[in-house]
């Protein structure tokens, strides 16, 4: 991969401006994703109905796992799976 990139750069197929354009585009995508994630997190944090639905879904999934696989093995003392 590095050799291919170096060959493309050496052959002049990649110019400095195209590399800069690609880096700016990638940074822009990361910035948009970050701000979208922050907006969703802010909206979800104050929604108690959504929190209740998520908790009910977690409980339903845990019950299904217990029914399918049985109870999980005991945790060694001093260690907890809850964070």
């Amino acid at each position: 991969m590095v050799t291919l990139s170096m060959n493309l750069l050496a052959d002049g197929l990649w110019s400095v401006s195209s590399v800069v354009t690609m880096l700016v585009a990638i940074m822009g995508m990361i910035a948009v994703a970050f701000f979208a994630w922050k907006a969703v997190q802010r909206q979800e944090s104050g929604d108690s109905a959504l929190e209740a639905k998520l908790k009910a879904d977690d409980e339903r999934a845990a019950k299904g796992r217990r029914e399918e696989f049985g109870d999980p093995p005991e945790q060694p003392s001093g260690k907890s799976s809850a964070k």
Side-chain angles (χ1 to χ4, degrees), residues 25-78:
I26 291 170
M27 294 302 292
M29 287 184 264
I30 290 171
V32 168
F34 174 76
F35 287 119
W37 179 77
K38 292 296 276 185
V40 169
Q41 293 299 313
R42 183 175 37 244
Q43 187 174 10
E44 287 180 351
S45 68
D47 192 348
S48 59
L50 177 64
E51 291 293 326
K53 288 178 184 178
L54 290 173
K55 182 175 173 123
D57 187 51
D58 287 344
E59 291 169 357
R60 181 200 52 79
K63 180 181 176 190
R65 284 191 300 270
R66 280 192 305 272
E67 289 174 358
E68 186 172 346
F69 302 112
D71 288 333
E74 293 296 321
Q75 294 287 328
S77 61

